[in-house]
Amino acid sequence: MDVIRRENPARVAEVVGRVPVTDADGVDAAVRRAGEAWREWAARPIGDRVAVLREAAGVIDGRTGELAVLLARESGKPLADCRGEISFALTYLRWVCDNAPRVLAPAEIDDAAGRLVVRRAPYGVVGCVTPWNAPVILAMVKLAPALAAGNAVVLKPSPLAPLAVSEVAAALPTVEVVHGGAPAGRALVTHPAVRKVAFTGGDAAGREIAAAAGSMLTSSVMELGGNDPAIFLPDFALSGDDYERLVMATFATSGQVCMAAKRLYVPRARMAEFTEAYTAAAERVLVVGDPLTPGVTMGPVISGPAADRIRALVAGSLSRGGTAVPLGRAVGGLESGYFVTPTLVTGLDDQAPLVTEEQFGPAVPLLPYDTEEELPARANAGDLGLAASVWSADEDRAFGLAARLEAGYVFVNTHNRTGMSLRAPFGGVKRSGYGREYGEEGLLEYVQSAVVHAPAAFRDGGAGLPATAYPA
């Protein structure tokens, strides 16, 4: 049997764990098991379902410490971040338990026009394909609403971080886990019994998943990448704490976050001030080292190819006349892992690859502007539109510019996870995907409207309608 050997990206000679590769027959068996489970699960009252999910949350909560260590070792994320991710995943699961009974309740109208019931019906089996950069929470934002709604789930996590998320999934009801690369994903997405597909990942894989789902006429939700601008209006006023938050908005998870700040736009007259304060904040909060070392805030990137790609982007920036400013400080030896020096790059034009591409790593361009009017066109350039941020001392001014940005989610005076809200739907526009996670919309992604209607004309005492009549 083929296996996936997951190495520790901080110490590449260390194998953290192994999982078996699931072949097409194994995927089929997992989908069939999920299909057998979902009808009984869907038939249970939603109050019973959320009670089971709350109990599962308690089980996972009791294992947070050990799961966080496992996640840190397989992903390279600092241990504190891994604890935070698992805790946030449980916070979201409990939010779903609190809100699903209300959001998914059937709506009924009985009036002079007739009797109308709109139910929220589960799809059946949901296939989820999830990434490595935040494997637990990015699985949970699919698992929790899908399960609360009465679906069963087959989850395929990334081969680069399959271990901790599999342990979390094992604690949840009616969830099957399969492992592998593109062949396993394709077998899952094109299985005729899979009625909904949920995917988070990059553009290339997203196109393949969407095409495969489309070939089966399977509904899907796609949360793809972003090249997210952070815009600082001329009146911005940042404290030291604000700068520290901004630094981590770019470099948390070594910059490998879809909604990280990836382009910084600053008034030309304030570039020197900004650069000095940003660099000083990075020196305070950006500590690069082994994820299990106390105090480390940035670990390695996920793989050797990822490290090579990011270094090539920085080298290409220098060849175009850019200047690299190394950030933060390192603790301990970094020779045994995929570590990349966090870098601020200045002096680039808007056509530089570090500006036009989603770098997905610890390098960020700092770009000057002269007039506020030029900002929407520059920020909206490109095919991606996941998130953005606007920073200003005048909140109304920030909201005004935000309305002109092509982004599914705009943060004001913050960026990345500090600006998230469980009640706010999250997702992209343009080629950053479709569908939404979090909020009520994230719950409604996993149900279909099912209508029962008795028109007044055909109820007792109704006058009827001619066979050729249209609805009134």
Side-chain angles (χ1 to χ4, degrees):
M1 176 183 292
D2 291 337
V3 298
I4 296 167
R5 298 168 64 255
R6 181 57 198 147
E7 65 189 13
N8 183 337
R11 299 187 294 272
V12 298
E14 175 188 308
V15 176
V16 181
R18 296 171 174 84
V19 293
V21 173
T22 311
D23 61 15
D25 288 341
V27 172
D28 175 66
V31 173
R32 290 179 184 277
R33 288 193 298 272
E36 291 170 0
W38 87 265
R39 291 187 185 279
E40 186 276 332
W41 177 246
R44 300 177 70 167
I46 191 168
D48 289 357
R49 294 199 298 266
V50 299
V52 173
L53 292 175
R54 286 188 196 280
E55 183 176 351
V59 171
I60 298 166
D61 204 356
R63 299 184 60 199
T64 295
E66 64 176 288
L67 291 173
V69 172
L70 180 60
L71 181 57
R73 292 176 63 217
E74 68 174 326
S75 71
K77 292 174 63 169
L79 182 57
D81 277 0
C82 293
R83 290 195 192 100
E85 177 179 336
I86 294 166
S87 294
F88 180 57
L90 294 175
T91 296
Y92 177 68
L93 174 56
R94 289 168 173 139
W95 183 92
V96 167
C97 291
D98 289 342
N99 288 275
R102 171 182 57 84
V103 175
L104 303 181
E108 182 168 356
I109 301 171
D110 194 343
D111 58 16
R115 183 179 179 187
L116 173 67
V117 175
V118 181
R119 295 185 299 108
R120 305 296 189 180
Y123 281 88
V125 177
V126 176
C128 298
V129 180
T130 56
W132 48 262
N133 58 326
V136 175
I137 183 56
L138 293 178
M140 190 62 78
V141 293
K142 301 163 181 58
L143 293 167
L147 296 174
N151 301 281
V153 177
V154 180
L155 171 69
K156 193 202 82 65
S158 167
L160 294 175
L163 304 175
V165 68
S166 294
E167 294 290 319
V168 169
L172 297 169
T174 66
V175 177
E176 298 284 335
V177 180
V178 297
H179 294 288
R186 193 175 303 111
L188 176 60
V189 171
T190 58
H191 196 289
V194 169
R195 301 302 187 190
K196 177 85 177 188
V197 168
F199 173 76
T200 298
D203 175 75
R207 290 172 186 268
E208 292 185 15
I209 294 288
S215 73
M216 301 298 292
L217 297 179
T218 302
S219 173
S220 61
V221 54
M222 310 287 288
E223 200 269 274
L224 306 179
N227 189 13
D228 305 22
I231 298 170
F232 300 85
L233 292 180
D235 66 345
F236 78 87
L238 272 62
S239 67
D241 288 345
D242 292 331
Y243 275 105
E244 292 176 6
R245 186 158 33 88
L246 173 61
V247 167
M248 294 312 300
T250 288
F251 295 105
T253 315
S254 303
Q256 301 167 124
V257 178
C258 60
M259 60 181 175
K262 300 187 179 79
R263 294 176 283 158
L264 310 179
Y265 292 92
V266 174
R268 192 178 303 275
R270 300 188 66 182
M271 282 284 284
E273 165 201 347
F274 182 94
T275 303
E276 179 180 2
Y278 188 91
T279 304
E283 183 69 19
R284 295 192 299 272
V285 301
L286 208 51
V287 182
V288 183
D290 188 288
L292 297 180
T293 300
V296 163
T297 60
M298 191 186 117
V301 296
I302 193 66
S303 67
D308 292 342
R309 179 182 54 80
I310 297 156
R311 292 188 187 110
L313 274 173
V314 174
S317 298
L318 301 185
S319 71
R320 296 177 68 100
T323 299
V325 181
L327 300 172
R329 49 199 165 88
V331 294
L334 307 183
E335 299 79 13
S336 61
Y338 303 126
F339 291 94
V340 177
T341 301
T343 305
L344 180 71
V345 180
T346 62
L348 294 179
D349 58 67
D350 282 4
Q351 285 68 51
L354 188 63
V355 178
T356 61
E357 299 176 12
E358 180 186 20
Q359 65 269 43
F360 217 69
V364 65
L366 176 59
L367 305 161
Y369 69 88
D370 295 304
T371 68
E372 193 171 331
E373 192 55 37
E374 73 194 66
L375 288 170
R378 294 178 67 186
N380 293 337
D383 289 337
L384 301 180
L386 185 59
S389 63
V390 182
W391 304 65
S392 172
D394 183 338
E395 187 176 280
D396 289 339
R397 186 178 184 184
F399 270 72
L401 177 58
R404 302 173 66 189
L405 300 180
E406 295 171 351
Y409 201 113
V410 180
F411 308 100
V412 172
N413 290 325
T414 194
H415 199 118
N416 207 332
R417 66 190 185 210
T418 57
M420 296 292 290
S421 170
L422 295 177
R423 68 181 184 177
F426 181 86
V429 300
K430 299 195 290 189
R431 299 197 191 281
S432 285
Y434 45 83
R436 292 295 180 263
E437 296 181 328
Y438 299 103
E440 293 186 5
E441 291 184 38
L443 278 165
L444 293 173
E445 288 287 353
Y446 294 94
V447 291
Q448 304 172 91
S449 297
V451 170
V452 182
H453 184 214
F458 306 110
R459 301 180 76 186
D460 287 346
L465 287 173
T468 57
Y470 284 91

